[in-house]
Amino acid sequence: MISLNQVSKSFAGTRVVDDVSFSVPEGAFLVLLGPSGCGKSTMLRMLAGLEQPTGGQIRFGDMLVADGGSGFALPPARRDAGLVFQSYALWPHMTVAGNIDWPLKVARLPAEERRARIAEAMEMLGITQLAQRYPGEISGGQQQRVALARMIAPRPKVMLFDEPLSNLDATLRVEMRFELLKVHAATGATSVYVTHDQVEAMTMASHVAVMNHGRIEQFDAPERLLAEPSSAFVAGFVGTPAANLIPIADGKWLGTIADAALPDIAGHAMVRAETIELADEAGPRTVSVTLAEVVPMAGRRLVTGVANGVRITAITDSTDRLPSNLRFRLPPAAAAIFDSEGKRIS
Amino acid sequence: MTVPLRRLRPSLARYGLTAAMALILVVLVAAPLATILIQTLQSGGGAWADVLASRLSQNLFWRPATNTMIIGLAVAGGCVLLGGFLAWLVVMTDVPGRPLIAFMATLPFMIPSFATALAWGSVFRNGRVGGAGGLLEGLGFSVPDWLSWGMVPTIVVLIAHYYALAFTVIAAALSTVNGDLVEAAQMTGASRKRILFGIVLPVVTPAVIAGGSLAFAGAVSNFAAPALLGLPVRMQTLSTRLFGMIEIGQTERGYVLAILLIAISAIFLGIGNRILNSRRSFATISGKGARPRRFTLGTMRLPLALLAWTVCILTTLLPILLLLAASLAPSSLSLFSDWTLHYWIGAADPAFARGQPGIFHHPQLISALTTTLMLGAGVVFAANALGLLIAVALTRQKVPVLSNAVSQLSFLPMLLPGIAFAAAYIALYGAPIGPLPALYGTKLLLGLALTAAMLPFAVQTGRATVAQISGDIDEAARMTGAGFFHRLWAITLPLAARGLAAGLLISFVNVIGDLAITVLLYTPTSPLLAVLSYSYASDGFHQFANAVTLVILVISMLATCAATLLRGRRRQTFA
Ligand SMILES: Nc1ncnc2c1ncn2[C@@H]1O[C@H](COP(=O)(O)OP(=O)(O)O)[C@@H](O)[C@H]1O
Ligand SMILES: [Mg+2]
């Protein structure tokens, strides 16, 4: 439904989005995931039509909506897309109902139809009782719901979200995540959702594009990001907890513990926390660590220790007291090996 | 004896501070206002009848009131246009030099309006009312009266002074509408025109009205500009009329005029305030803004930039330079020739300037300078200390009715034209109260009035300071068991010191540039700089007036620069 072909964007000579290509089917929930400043918002704004690509093409279905080469761009309103802003961007001089109504008025829908759509959108987001309030009179979470209602009322085929939950507190965020998925399911529209929070990506996405420095590091289903990260950046960015990236050199863990199974290069080995065990005594592939922290989690414990300045996290079922000379036993084989550039080599 | 005292203590802790502040505010604000009202009503309301409905009332009230309204409305309109234009350029467009324009556009408010009025005179004055003409006449032009004196110059000078207020408010509103709010409208496919009329203008309108009403209130209360530019041709406004009445001893009529002036100014300010804080206003909405979108001016970029720069320079730099030239030139007809330092440091010489010595030989200048500085410093410290205590009382103690009264009373001086407020002080403290002697003509009275006038600003600064107390840092200090005032002193004040000092400096600039209050309350034996400048100017010694004004300006500029540095880059949020 949405396909990008070698899309790039430069601001005054600096490339902010660099040669991005991917496509997602209709009804997909695509999450653009990456650290702040990596170009996610710029990508989203190009999809919305608020920003022009400087290279490459964007298509919605068969329809070309932007072409950086020829400078062609369909104006935002003709793309059948809706956008929820990080700031919500509610118009302060209109009531909640007025905010939802304005885009419908601009689209010249008959009054009858508009009333029905407003009622439906407010109903779906549980804000019917706020209809006559002004944005300045409702809470942040409620403003968020109004912004969502305003976006869905015109029934766009593509829904775009720019970090919509980042201004909410933690409990509201969980609640709104559910609310968003409900809206997505009810409308069946294709969604593109920008966030820097990997938990949001993992819980909501059907497809995830992990971005870094304007490039796509990996484009995959959420489970695949965890199972088969294609770069050290992805491995270190996703998962709760994220997998350990342990430095290796000359076939030695941390440059000190020799292991025949390790390749003879400098880089990082990915080791999942659940494959590291607590060892009672020294042995092959054991590392002495200084205890850094213990986090109880779903009946188990995340134990983090530091060895040679590297933090290593293990998961244990044991509820025993931790010994003062804590040792981790590394697994016989690393889940993945990355070279010094972060590229995956096995 | 001990039992009632012990019973008293907890309630003292709960209400003590608020009650004390309420008492002080009654003395400083409420009592003088009540007094003028009572005094004008006491004698059967005769003064009211004189002013409003008698043979004299045309001259006493109606004509000055009409002039005042014309000035107020024209200045409000002009300020909104000029301030709005600059705000639009700075916030919405890619005009070059935005941060500097934004900074310069806030400066005129720091230049006392009598400085701008004197600068106007140095260029446009004609010889019609005696004395020499200004620069233009010197160049051989004949300057018509309407450009030299009266309504037009007063309005222009006041616009040049007050547009900074409109700029600040409108720029704040524009920067909220810029970016996401407009893009959200673009997403709907609305036309540019529809976005302008449906989104941008409605969001900005409250700010435009508020900015206009601030400028209106400022203009109708202003004394210096109409006094210097209007009085020579007998153009009276309510403030000059009120001054005249008190000066010739018709105090009751003066008080009536003061009450009427307060009413006019307060009504408009009240309307503006209401609109700005209404539930539809941008000021009530929060949310993280996006990177603002700038509208490319294209070929208009340079012409508009030039226009903006010209406005900024005409209202800040040029008046100062003109005053400087005019303080050096013996003939006001040619400002740039035969410069001499006589007016600054010359000894008395019967052949020169009617025997007047340079200002630094003037017996009163040094005392005026020290009085101004001491009074300014004293007032600023007193006002801010009070402001801080009031802020503490308001946030820590919620006493029904009393807290609200404290809050309202501390804000009230904002609505009061300085000269009317000064009149109220004369009414109350001009005569002995019981065993207390009359304070009229003492520096104490002047200090009290100025302190009260500065309170709204000081309370605001105080609130900002106290607001920091609820933070984590304070909790950390609380764990150590330090008491509230100890924490305020040891933790919050040092942390807030920069902001507080900047606030002190800004109110200092306002105090030393004030003429409206001081002209009624100064002590004849030891005048203040602003009053000295005014009396030189009304005696026709323009060079000396300009020189004294420059002394004030230099002090103001130093203080403003220091404040800007202290606040760092936080000020320039629009650009
Ligand atoms: N209009 C613009 N002009 C210049 N640089 C921009 C503009 N918009 C974004 N950038 C730059 O592009 C980079 C990516 O920005 P953005 O897409 O907002 O990142 P993200 O949303 O991932 O945090 C940032 O370095 C930002 O400063
Ligand atoms: Mg972003």
Side-chain angles (χ1 to χ4, degrees), chain B residues 29-119:
Chain B
V29 182
L33 289 178
T35 309
I36 43 170
L37 201 59
I38 293 167
Q39 287 205 2
T40 56
L41 292 175
Q42 245 165 11
S43 50
W48 283 94
D50 291 348
V51 170
L52 288 177
S54 77
R55 247 176 344 99
L56 299 172
S57 56
Q58 264 305 324
N59 271 330
L60 271 183
F61 177 71
W62 296 107
R63 216 166 294 139
T66 313
N67 287 340
T68 303
M69 288 303 288
I70 293 174
I71 291 173
L73 293 174
V75 170
C79 286
V80 162
L81 286 179
L82 199 58
F85 165 70
L86 289 178
W88 171 74
L89 272 186
V90 165
V91 178
M92 309 277 270
T93 75
D94 63 345
V95 77
R98 286 184 302 275
L100 203 56
I101 297 179
F103 175 65
M104 300 256 296
T106 56
L107 283 188
F109 202 54
M110 293 287 131
I111 301 177
S113 53
F114 56 83
T116 324
L118 287 173

Side-chain angles (χ1 to χ4, degrees), chain A residues 45 77 87 90-93 137, chain B residues 180-181 183 189 198 202 279 288:
Chain A
R45 293 166 57 79
S87 66
L90 298 179
W91 299 305
H93 61 297
E137 302 170 328
Chain B
D180 286 357
L181 289 192
E183 288 188 341
R279 53 197 213 125
K288 192 152 56 166

Side-chain angles (χ1 to χ4, degrees), chain A residues 101-151:
Chain A
D101 193 21
W102 204 74
L104 305 176
K105 264 197 214 150
V106 172
R108 293 170 196 265
L109 262 58
E112 196 68 11
E113 174 78 15
R114 282 186 356 232
R115 249 196 306 281
R117 297 256 192 125
I118 297 170
E120 181 194 66
M122 290 199 299
E123 176 82 17
M124 190 184 292
L125 287 144
I127 49 172
T128 308
Q129 73 288 359
L130 302 178
Q132 295 314 314
R133 303 267 203 97
Y134 284 92
E137 302 170 328
I138 58 181
S139 72
Q142 292 170 327
Q143 290 180 4
Q144 170 71 86
R145 286 167 187 267
V146 177
L148 275 173
R150 182 177 74 180
M151 192 265 288

Side-chain angles (χ1 to χ4, degrees), chain B residues 553-568:
Chain B
L553 273 174
V554 168
I555 302 172
S556 302
M557 278 192 292
L558 289 177
T560 308
C561 286
T564 311
L565 286 180
L566 278 171
R567 283 186 180 172

Side-chain angles (χ1 to χ4, degrees), chain B residues 21-40 255 259 262 409 412-413 416 420-430 433 436 445 448 452:
Chain B
M21 290 302 121
L23 199 66
I24 292 178
L25 283 167
V26 164
V27 171
L28 283 182
V29 182
L33 289 178
T35 309
I36 43 170
L37 201 59
I38 293 167
Q39 287 205 2
T40 56
Y255 297 159
I259 294 169
I262 289 172
L409 277 179
L412 192 58
L416 305 175
F421 197 42
Y425 264 69
I426 297 180
L428 177 59
Y429 299 107
I433 310 170
L436 299 172
L445 183 62
L448 288 178

Side-chain angles (χ1 to χ4, degrees), chain B residues 361-373:
Chain B
H361 285 293
H362 192 287
Q364 286 197 325
L365 181 95
I366 299 303
S367 83
L369 181 62
T370 44
T371 313
T372 302
L373 292 180

Side-chain angles (χ1 to χ4, degrees), chain B residues 349-419:
Chain B
D349 173 359
F352 208 80
R354 284 185 267 160
Q356 281 278 342
I359 60 165
F360 282 104
H361 285 293
H362 192 287
Q364 286 197 325
L365 181 95
I366 299 303
S367 83
L369 181 62
T370 44
T371 313
T372 302
L373 292 180
M374 307 274 283
L375 193 71
V379 163
V380 159
F381 276 105
N384 280 277
L386 266 182
L388 197 59
L389 288 175
I390 290 173
V392 170
L394 287 178
T395 39
R396 303 276 302 180
Q397 305 181 334
K398 302 264 184 272
V399 188
V401 186
L402 210 52
S403 286
N404 193 25
V406 166
S407 158
Q408 301 278 343
L409 277 179
S410 64
F411 176 73
L412 192 58
M414 184 110 151
L415 303 179
L416 305 175
I419 197 157

